[in-house]
Amino acid sequence: MSTYLLVHGAWHSGECWKRVVPRLTAAGHRVFAPSLTGHGEKAHLLGPEVGLDTHVDDVVGLITDEALTDVVLVGHSYAGLVVSSVANQVPDRVGHLVYLDAMVPEHGESAADAQPVSQVLIDRALASGSGWRVPPLPELPPPHGLFGVTDPADVAWLRTMLTDESVRCLQQPVRLDNPAVHTIPRTHIHCVADVPEGIVRRPVPATEQAWRLPTGHDCMITMPAELAELLLKLG
């Protein structure tokens, strides 16, 4: 039995993994898919003080409270930053890092460094009436849809779980200064269908494996069976 910890990206909640979790548990594995502070059942906790460090604490706290070890730690999108810093803090608890169509940072980088288009969102938030709220990205014309989701029923479901993000999440830097973090195996899963303009991916080192899914960004909604099949190869 393996332990999977699935960390959602910005604006989403743990509910986005609803179609993936049963497939992993049916194979006999233990799965956690928490909502980060400010999202899902914790949406009421959103405030300007919530940042990347808050979300790192969320995940580290879950790992330590549940005494998890050899975790397959999956970070989607923005959560690539989260899982990187989590692994830096508790490298002895993480057996594999998975970057799921995610930002892949270096030490000291923020979201704007890992994905430069994030700076536009930061600037808009700072200039807005709140000074800190980052609303979910809008639905784009086909074929891009809402985070790569185009089926009307799925778009409607996705909208029920989207909430604002705090700009601090995009501003705080990642910590990767623990040498042990660099010994953890890494896998990258890229969603390669209809990538929006401005999205960039860093080259995957030859020592790390990379897989591709022919779908949009929120592959846990659009291709849950195929995603689960890939994740099961790591368990």
Side-chain angles (χ1 to χ4, degrees), residues 126-160:
L126 296 176
S128 70
S130 70
W132 61 273
R133 283 184 176 271
V134 184
L137 297 178
E139 184 174 359
L140 299 175
H144 302 304
L146 184 63
F147 294 99
V149 178
T150 56
D151 178 81
D154 286 346
V155 169
W157 176 51
L158 176 55
R159 287 190 185 282
T160 66

Side-chain angles (χ1 to χ4, degrees), residues 174-188:
V174 167
R175 295 192 63 84
L176 283 171
D177 55 357
N178 185 342
V181 75
H182 301 291
T183 67
I184 300 172
R186 293 185 177 194
T187 292
H188 305 257

Side-chain angles (χ1 to χ4, degrees), residues 75-78 99-103 189-192 201 216-218:
H76 178 242
S77 196
Y78 151 79
Y99 290 90
L100 179 57
D101 218 36
M103 300 181 189
I189 302 176
H190 293 162
C191 301
V192 297
R201 292 195 180 102
H217 186 56
D218 276 6

Side-chain angles (χ1 to χ4, degrees), residues 8-13 38-40 77-78 121 133-137 147 158 161-166 170:
H8 65 80
W11 305 295
H12 291 57
S13 75
H39 303 285
S77 196
Y78 151 79
L121 304 179
R133 283 184 176 271
V134 184
L137 297 178
F147 294 99
L158 176 55
M161 69 184 81
L162 296 180
T163 52
D164 289 355
E165 198 67 73
S166 169
L170 306 180

Side-chain angles (χ1 to χ4, degrees), residues 14-226:
E15 187 180 1
C16 70
W17 304 103
K18 188 175 181 179
R19 296 174 178 174
V20 176
V21 171
R23 289 174 163 87
L24 300 179
T25 56
H29 302 296
R30 193 180 187 191
V31 185
F32 294 86
S35 290
L36 301 174
T37 297
H39 303 285
E41 70 277 11
K42 302 177 184 176
H44 64 286
L45 299 176
L46 183 66
E49 74 285 353
V50 173
L52 173 62
D53 290 350
T54 311
H55 292 160
V56 172
D57 290 344
D58 288 341
V59 179
V60 171
L62 175 59
I63 290 173
T64 55
D65 289 347
E66 297 288 340
L68 305 183
T69 58
D70 201 26
V71 174
V72 179
L73 184 57
V74 182
H76 178 242
S77 196
Y78 151 79
L81 308 179
V82 179
V83 299
S84 295
S85 279
V86 168
N88 190 72
Q89 284 196 34
V90 288
D92 57 317
R93 303 292 188 99
V94 180
H96 206 109
L97 272 174
V98 182
Y99 290 90
L100 179 57
D101 218 36
M103 300 181 189
V104 183
E106 300 291 342
H107 173 63
E109 290 188 334
S110 68
D113 298 307
Q115 190 61 256
V117 72
S118 300
Q119 188 61 52
V120 175
L121 304 179
I122 293 171
D123 293 342
R124 288 176 180 170
L126 296 176
S128 70
S130 70
W132 61 273
R133 283 184 176 271
V134 184
L137 297 178
E139 184 174 359
L140 299 175
H144 302 304
L146 184 63
F147 294 99
V149 178
T150 56
D151 178 81
D154 286 346
V155 169
W157 176 51
L158 176 55
R159 287 190 185 282
T160 66
M161 69 184 81
L162 296 180
T163 52
D164 289 355
E165 198 67 73
S166 169
V167 71
R168 192 171 175 82
C169 297
L170 306 180
Q171 293 175 310
Q172 286 189 316
V174 167
R175 295 192 63 84
L176 283 171
D177 55 357
N178 185 342
V181 75
H182 301 291
T183 67
I184 300 172
R186 293 185 177 194
T187 292
H188 305 257
I189 302 176
H190 293 162
C191 301
V192 297
D194 305 312
V195 178
E197 184 178 354
I199 299 299
V200 297
R201 292 195 180 102
R202 290 176 168 173
V204 177
T207 55
E208 301 173 13
Q209 61 185 346
W211 296 328
R212 295 155 63 93
L213 283 174
T215 189
H217 186 56
D218 276 6
C219 58
M220 71 289 292
I221 293 175
T222 58
M223 296 189 77
E226 294 83 354

